[in-house]
Each structure stands twice: as structure tokens, then as C-alpha cells.
């Protein structure tokens, strides 16, 4: 089963392994008079194919409305005598809101996970699949009714690096946090360069803290990109210290509308030879795929093979 933005991905899963998966379309409607959800989940009529089955739900928490609609369905599924429930949620948009800076501010990473944790038991907790969760401690916000399993998109970029003729010969990280998280996955094969912010006068600038980038084509690796300002400053620092080219890889593309254009030819952030992202965030990826081929800097990497293996 899937949220409407992931129906095509669900069909691709079935096509990849038809003996393992069957998909049933769900109707995500609204009542005209109230605007409230009117959802009809597939697989229940005319014959109930869902009862006693192992259900995979492809979730997309791209907005508050989308989250609430899917929570209706998740609760309903847990109360439908299913054997197990696995929630595939590769990108958690609220993950960056895991702490507060002023009293009264809401840490929505916590509240969303608490809601998921309150799902009815199906004999055991539901499984929630995260990929490159922004802050790893967020996994522990889930408890009782839902438990996280942690996965990574790094194998996708490693396949890119293994391509014949790949020009990339060093890995860079925009900060120490990214280096600690991903560094061990690359350090055996590539030189590592770590950047970070340092106060210079009245400004905080991105500088190289460790490693040598001279004469190298570097790939900046991070878990997520929104506006991309820090990534761009990191790329500029590398180029100013002798790097011959810079590319980037981020697991999750979370660009606000229109920001993706700034990384294309003619944009004010067109500093990357290639900008690799996974297709974990469907709404943004749809916009990226509409960019003119002659102008785009993006290459979208498909997480479907990882999902098949990680399930």
C-alpha cells in the first residue's frame, strides 16, 4: 500500500519482484462539504486480501495534511488483523526539528515519532525504515508501538564512484558531524577533506579544517540539502585551495520550490560539476526531473534496489 505520491514506486516494486509483492491502490479523497479525509484503502473489497498479510506501507510525510491522512490509514491497518506492518519512510522532514531554542517551541521530530509510537500493536511493534536520518538519536524517539530500522543511501553513491572513468578521487565533508557519520564509509578508499565554520572577524566562514584538496576532484557528502548555502561555501573553499572540480551527494533533496534552479547552469549556486541526490523525497525529485537536460547539474539515484535488499 502507498500514499498517492508513491503509487508509481509501489508499482515498480511489484514489477521488480512480482512473487513477493502485490499492490492495491488507495483512493485519497476529501468530502466536499467538510474537506475532511475520505479514504478507501485498497485490498479490502470485494475480498479482504490485507488480513493476516505482511503489509508494507510506502509513506511520504511531505506536509501536515499528508501526515494526518496517512496516520488515519496506519491506525486502520493496525486494527485490521494484519500480521505485520512495515512503514517505509526514507525521508523524515521533521528530523531537523529535534530540539528547541526557546521555551514553548515544539520539537516536531519528537511529536511525530510519538504519534507513530502510539500505533496499535499488530502482535509486535510496527517497523519504520529510515534512510540517513538527519540526527541519529531521532531513532530513539520511537518506542512501544513503532521501532526504527536504520539504513543508508551511501551504496548508491559508491556505485557512482565505481563507474569506469569516474574522475572523483577524494571525499569532502561540510562539517565535522558529517565526517564522523560518513567518514568511515569512504576513508579506506579515498582521501578525506573536512570543512567547518570558523569565525573570521564578524562573519562565520566555511574553511578547510583537515586534509589536502589541491589537484583533486572532490565529492562533498552530506545527509540532506535544503537551500544548499553551506555546501556551496564548502565547494568555494575547496576550489580556492586548489581543487580542480567539486561534485556533491546528498541523500535527501529538500529544496524549497525553485531553489533547485539555482544549481543549474546560469544559477548563482552553479558550482558543482554533478549534484547527486537520491529519489527519497518524491515531491522535490519531480521538480528536479523537469529541469532541462542541457542545464541541470543533477543526477537522481534510485533507492529502489536498496529498498528491495533492506526489507
Amino acid at each position: 500500500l502507498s500514499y498517492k505520491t508513491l503509487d508509481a514506486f509501489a508499482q515498480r516494486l511489484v514489477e521488480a519482484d512480482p512473487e513477493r509483492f502485490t499492490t492495491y491502490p488507495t483512493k485519497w479523497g476529501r468530502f466536499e462539504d467538510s474537506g475532511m479525509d475520505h479514504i478507501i484503502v485498497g485490498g479490502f473489497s470485494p475480498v479482504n486480501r490485507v488480513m493476516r498479510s505482511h503489509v508494507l506501507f510506502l509513506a511520504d510525510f511531505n506536509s501536515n495534511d499528508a501526515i494526518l491522512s496517512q496516520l488515519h490509514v496506519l491506525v486502520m491497518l493496525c486494527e485490521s488483523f494484519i500480521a505485520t506492518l512495515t512503514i517505509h519512510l526514507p525521508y523524515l522532514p521533521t528530523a531537523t526539528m529535534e530540539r528547541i531554542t526557546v521555551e514553548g517551541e515544539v520539537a516536531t521530530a519528537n511529536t511525530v515519532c510519538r504519534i507513530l509510537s502510539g500505533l496499535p500493536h499488530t502482535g509486535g511493534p510496527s517497523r519504520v525504515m529510515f534512510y540517513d536520518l538527519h540526527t541519529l538519536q531521532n531513532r530513539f524517539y520511537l518506542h512501544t508501538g513503532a521501532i526504527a530500522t536504520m539504513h543508508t543511501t551511501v551504496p548508491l553513491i559508491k556505485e557512482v564512484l565505481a563507474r569506469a572513468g569516474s574522475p572523483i578521487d577524494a571525499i569532502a565533508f561540510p562539517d565535522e558531524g558529517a565526517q564522523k557519520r560518513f567518514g568511515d564509509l569512504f576513508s579506506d578508499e579515498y582521501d578525506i577533506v573536512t570543512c567547518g565554520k570558523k569565525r573570521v572577524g564578524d562573519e562565520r566562514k566555511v574553511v578547510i579544517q583537515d586534509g589536502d584538496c589541491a589537484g583533486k576532484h572532490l565529492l562533498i557528502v552530506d545527509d540532506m540539502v535544503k537551500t544548499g548555502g553551506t555546501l556551496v561555501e564548502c565547494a568555494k573553499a575547496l576550489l580556492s585551495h586548489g581543487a580542480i572540480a567539486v561534485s556533491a551527494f546528498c541523500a535527501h533533496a529538500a529544496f524549497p520550490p525553485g531553489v533547485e534552479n539555482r544549481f543549474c547552469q546560469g544559477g548563482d549556486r552553479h558550482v558543482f560539476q554533478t549534484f547527486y541526490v537520491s529519489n527519497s523525497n518524491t515531491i522535490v525529485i519531480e521538480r528536479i526531473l523537469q529541469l532541462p537536460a542541457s542545464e541541470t547539474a543533477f543526477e537522481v539515484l534510485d533507492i529502489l534496489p536498496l529498498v528491495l535488499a533492506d526489507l
Side-chain angles (χ1 to χ4, degrees):
L1 300 170
S2 58
Y3 187 58
K4 56 188 174 183
T5 57
L6 290 168
D7 285 347
F9 192 89
Q11 187 59 45
R12 291 178 59 219
L13 278 176
V14 174
E15 293 170 357
D17 195 343
E19 294 186 2
R20 186 180 185 186
F21 299 107
T22 302
T23 186
Y24 300 102
T26 293
K27 297 179 181 178
W28 302 87
R30 298 283 179 97
F31 289 105
E32 290 186 5
D33 54 353
S34 65
M36 296 293 106
D37 282 314
H38 181 207
I39 305 167
I40 302 175
V41 179
F44 284 87
S45 178
V47 178
N48 190 337
R49 304 291 186 184
V50 178
M51 182 185 294
R52 292 186 290 274
S53 67
H54 298 277
V55 177
L56 170 65
F57 184 82
L58 304 177
D60 182 1
F61 283 11
N62 64 69
S63 70
N64 289 333
D65 280 353
I67 292 173
L68 182 58
S69 296
Q70 290 167 89
L71 287 172
H72 290 317
V73 172
L74 293 173
V75 171
M76 175 264 203
L77 288 171
C78 290
E79 295 177 341
S80 298
F81 302 102
I82 61 175
T84 62
L85 175 63
T86 298
I87 303 167
H88 175 257
L89 185 60
Y91 169 57
L92 180 64
T94 60
T96 55
M97 195 59 207
E98 86 288 1
R99 54 191 167 187
I100 64 173
T101 55
V102 295
E103 287 301 317
E105 192 174 17
V106 178
T108 52
N110 172 54
T111 53
V112 167
C113 287
R114 278 184 173 271
I115 294 170
L116 288 173
S117 298
L119 289 173
H121 274 219
T122 59
S126 299
R127 174 190 180 191
V128 183
M129 298 175 65
F130 292 128
Y131 281 78
D132 298 309
L133 191 61
H134 179 65
T135 48
L136 296 179
Q137 67 266 26
N138 281 2
R139 68 184 295 184
F140 301 113
Y141 291 2
L142 291 169
H143 58 83
T144 311
I147 303 298
T149 57
M150 307 295 281
H151 310 278
T152 182
T153 59
V154 166
L156 299 179
I157 194 62
K158 283 202 162 187
E159 289 182 1
V160 171
L161 296 173
R163 292 173 183 170
S166 171
I168 297 168
D169 50 14
I171 304 296
F173 298 104
D175 52 49
E176 188 176 350
Q179 189 277 326
K180 287 181 178 179
R181 180 170 184 174
F182 297 111
D184 288 344
L185 300 175
F186 297 96
S187 58
D188 289 343
E189 303 173 71
Y190 297 92
D191 293 335
I192 302 295
V193 178
T194 304
C195 297
K197 289 187 176 180
K198 179 180 179 181
R199 184 166 293 281
V200 180
D202 294 332
E203 298 181 296
R204 286 178 59 81
K205 294 186 176 181
V206 175
V207 299
I208 296 175
Q209 295 181 333
D210 186 51
D212 180 16
C213 62
K216 297 172 182 174
H217 184 154
L218 292 103
L219 176 75
I220 302 174
V221 175
D222 207 357
D223 64 313
M224 181 175 61
V225 56
K226 288 188 174 181
T227 62
T230 299
L231 288 180
V232 170
E233 292 304 312
C234 180
K236 290 179 178 178
L238 296 169
L239 292 168
S240 69
H241 283 77
I244 57 174
V246 180
S247 293
F249 167 71
C250 290
H252 309 299
F255 300 122
V259 170
E260 64 276 5
N261 295 285
R262 300 177 67 180
F263 295 90
C264 297
Q265 289 188 24
D268 62 329
R269 293 187 170 174
H270 181 55
V271 295
F272 301 111
Q273 180 164 307
T274 307
F275 200 144
Y276 302 95
V277 294
S278 84
N279 57 347
S280 64
N281 188 8
T282 304
I283 298 294
V284 173
I285 294 304
E286 287 177 352
R287 300 201 311 263
I288 288 175
L289 292 176
Q290 292 174 2
L291 294 169
S294 60
E295 299 176 7
T296 186
F298 293 98
E299 181 176 337
V300 177
L301 307 179
D302 187 13
I303 65 172
L304 188 140
L306 297 182
V307 176
L308 288 168
D310 293 336
L311 279 169

